[in-house]
Amino acid sequence: MGRGRQKAKHTKIARELKYDTYNVNYSALERELGHHDDEYVDKWADQYNDEDEDETSPLSSSQA
């Protein structure tokens, strides 16, 4: 009995996603994205070795 309800709920949600139209405020999205720098900055980059670095680097020897 539970599977029938579950399937009906999933079918209902799928129909809503397929047929409903959503209004997107593109100007607000553009303003939000415009405040960020164009260049991506990885704030965690200095904590991990690069994949192409040698295993004898100072970071890998101190972690062993």
Side-chain angles (χ1 to χ4, degrees), residues 8-62:
K9 186 174 183 178
H10 285 288
T11 303
K12 178 184 174 185
I13 293 171
R15 284 188 183 133
E16 288 176 0
L17 291 173
K18 183 176 181 180
Y19 295 113
D20 284 353
T21 56
Y22 299 98
N23 295 326
V24 178
N25 188 349
Y26 291 107
S27 60
L29 181 62
E30 185 177 1
R31 279 193 311 271
E32 182 179 341
L33 294 176
H35 290 287
H36 300 290
D37 294 329
D38 290 340
E39 186 176 326
Y40 174 75
V41 178
D42 188 2
K43 63 182 180 180
W44 305 107
D46 58 343
Q47 295 183 3
Y48 299 99
N49 290 336
D50 289 337
E51 292 177 359
D52 58 345
E53 281 188 4
D54 192 25
E55 288 188 15
T56 60
S57 67
L59 286 177
S60 64
S61 62
S62 64

